[in-house]
């Protein structure tokens, strides 16, 4: 026999979760070639930017040498074009000065200089000026060609740099697909035949993924408390809900929920299972009863309570949040009422009983009179 009491209650959900790497990727080469060196093996810890493998791509080296030579050729052409511009400017200056002197003399002493000679000097002056413009245009074209050559060199250089495969983030090598001498195809497209070099996983931070049933999805929220027990290591810790999918898997009718778990010593391994207890609903100062005191009928729940004269009565109750060992009573009972905890089938409505209080954790039957 127990009394209806007020207390705080929290419902929980116990699910099996699995640890996943925080991020994981298969590393491909962006150019085709043979592996000259592979510097890592499974289980190796690597850091961001570390060289994983180096490819041998002879034709790419030849292309890079050709692109570099084209850049040097363009630079030489620019120097030659600059010299031509300088020569054209000097020639134009000399011819322009000669024409100006003749024109000044003809103006001061009309008839001294023949008109034909003035016309020839003017034509040479204008022609030399046009030569300067031509030389400048040739210089601009050569500079543009240098830009084209430099861009091509950068393209080939970038491809050459791709012959060195580096780690995009710090982590652990979990798979090695190739060895020295293996031919690696360029992984520039979704090509299933392109073999990756290694698989890299970030394991110093793990994601604990838990499937939450559809009925409990409305109670999942960011920052929710999660008690985690890892049976493989015997460790327990408390985490918080960091993210959830906000969509149900149509096959399992569950929603993936994640907790981030720091793993600096790599004590936990991806693929391990853990028992997760997720806190769902929190209720404060509500009417509660032990779960075993509630009888589930065909369409409703009820309890066997005692009236003021200690006779058994059947009380229809409405249930709220259900905790590990207690349940919330939202209607049907009042605080302090006496309720039979167990063996309800031994009692009849209207039967007088002698109340005997027992521990809630170990309820005993109440004998009738």
């Amino acid at each position: 026999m127990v009394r209806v009491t007020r207390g705080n209650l929290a419902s929980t959900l116990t699910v099996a979760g699995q640890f996943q790497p925080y991020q994981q990727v298969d590393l491909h080469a962006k150019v085709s070639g043979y592996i000259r060196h592979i510097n890592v093996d499974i289980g190796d810890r690597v850091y961001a930017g570390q060289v994983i493998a180096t490819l041998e791509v002879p034709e790419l080296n030849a292309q890079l040498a050709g692109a570099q030579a084209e850049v040097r050729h363009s630079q030489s052409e620019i120097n030659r074009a600059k010299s031509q511009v300088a020569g054209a400017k000097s020639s134009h200056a000399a011819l322009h000065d000669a024409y100006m002197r003749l024109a000044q003399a003809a103006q001061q002493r009309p008839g001294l200089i023949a008109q034909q000679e003035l016309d020839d000097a003017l034509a040479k002056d204008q022609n030399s000026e046009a030569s300067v413009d031509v030389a400048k245009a040739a210089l601009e074209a050569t500079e543009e060609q240098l830009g084209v050559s430099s861009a091509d060199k950068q393209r080939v250089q970038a491809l050459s740099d791709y012959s060195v495969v580096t780690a995009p983030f710090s982590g652990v090598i979990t798979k090695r697909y190739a060895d020295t001498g293996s031919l690696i195809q360029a992984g520039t497209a979704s090509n299933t035949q392109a073999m990756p070099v290694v698989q890299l996983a970030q394991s110093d931070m793990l994601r604990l993924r838990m499937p939450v049933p559809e009925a409990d999805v409305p109670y999942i929220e960011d920052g929710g408390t999660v008690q985690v027990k890892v049976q493989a290591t015997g460790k327990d810790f408390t985490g918080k809900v960091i993210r959830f999918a906000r969509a149900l898997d149509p096959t399992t009718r569950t929603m993936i929920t994640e907790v981030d778990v720091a793993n600096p010593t790599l004590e936990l391994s991806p693929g391990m299972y853990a028992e997760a207890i997720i806190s769902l609903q929190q209720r404060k100062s509500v009417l509660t009863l032990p779960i075993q005191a509630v009888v589930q009928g065909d369409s409703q729940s009820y309890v066997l309570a005692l009236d003021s004269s200690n006779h058994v009565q059947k009380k229809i109750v409405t249930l709220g949040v259900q905790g590990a060992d207690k349940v919330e009573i939202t209607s049907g009972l009042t605080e302090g009422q006496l309720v039979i905890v167990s063996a309800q089938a031994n009692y009849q409505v209207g039967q007088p009983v002698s109340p005997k209080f027992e521990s809630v954790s170990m309820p005993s039957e109440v004998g009738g009179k």
Side-chain angles (χ1 to χ4, degrees), residues 29 34 67 140 142 185 207 244 246 254 256 268 290 334 353 356:
Y34 292 93
E140 291 178 359
T142 307
Q185 298 294 334
R207 301 171 185 258
F244 47 91
R246 302 182 188 275
T254 59
I256 292 298
L268 301 173
T334 59
V353 297
K356 183 179 178 182

Side-chain angles (χ1 to χ4, degrees), residues 101-115 117-118:
R101 286 194 295 269
L102 289 176
Q104 186 176 8
Q107 185 178 7
Q108 293 177 352
R109 297 181 62 182
L112 178 62
I113 305 298
Q115 186 62 40
E117 187 175 354
L118 284 174

Side-chain angles (χ1 to χ4, degrees), residues 143-172:
E143 289 175 340
E144 290 178 358
Q145 182 59 43
L146 175 60
V148 173
S149 301
S150 298
D152 186 60
K153 176 191 171 184
Q154 291 177 358
R155 180 186 64 82
V156 179
Q157 182 67 61
L159 291 176
S160 179
D161 293 340
Y162 283 130
S163 64
V164 178
V165 181
T166 59
F169 53 82
S170 298
V172 177

